[in-house]
Amino acid sequence: MLDWRAEYRNLTYEPIQCPDGMRRTLVRFLARFGLNFGAFDFAVTTDGTWWFLECNPNGQWAWLEDAAGLPITTAIADLLENGENNA
C-alpha cells in the first residue's frame, strides 16, 4: 500500500469532481447521522474507483483550503448562517 505521507512536503492538491451518485450517498450519510458537515476521506484508484475510508464530523480542513484553492471557510460559514451550502 502506498503511504501518501512518506513524501508529504512534495504533495500537491487540486479539486476533483465528486461523482453524482457518490454525492447523493454522502448527503444521505450526513442526514442519517444528523450531521451538517463531514470531512470525508476516500482513496481513489487510477481506474476511478472511490473507496470510502471514514467521515470525520469535526475533520480538519483549514490546511487544505489554501493548498487546493477551495472556499471551505465561506461554505461552512454559509451553512452555519443560512442552513445551506452553496459551494
Side-chain angles (χ1 to χ4, degrees):
M1 174 179 263
L2 176 66
D3 184 349
W4 59 271
R5 297 167 296 184
E7 296 291 329
Y8 191 76
R9 69 178 168 271
N10 296 324
L11 297 177
T12 59
Y13 305 92
E14 64 184 73
I16 62 171
Q17 194 66 25
C18 180
D20 289 337
M22 181 63 69
R23 184 183 196 94
R24 288 189 297 273
T25 299
L26 299 178
V27 169
R28 286 194 313 268
F29 181 102
L30 292 171
R32 169 68 175 90
F33 290 99
L35 300 171
N36 289 319
F37 167 81
F40 289 90
D41 293 338
F42 292 93
V44 181
T45 63
T46 55
D47 70 357
T49 302
W50 286 52
W51 291 90
F52 172 77
L53 301 175
E54 65 179 337
C55 175
N56 299 296
N58 292 322
Q60 299 299 313
W61 47 264
W63 63 273
L64 184 59
E65 184 168 41
D66 286 334
L70 297 169
I72 300 171
T73 300
T74 300
I76 291 176
D78 286 347
L79 176 65
L80 293 172
E81 183 177 12
N82 304 317
E84 60 187 53
N85 182 350
N86 295 317

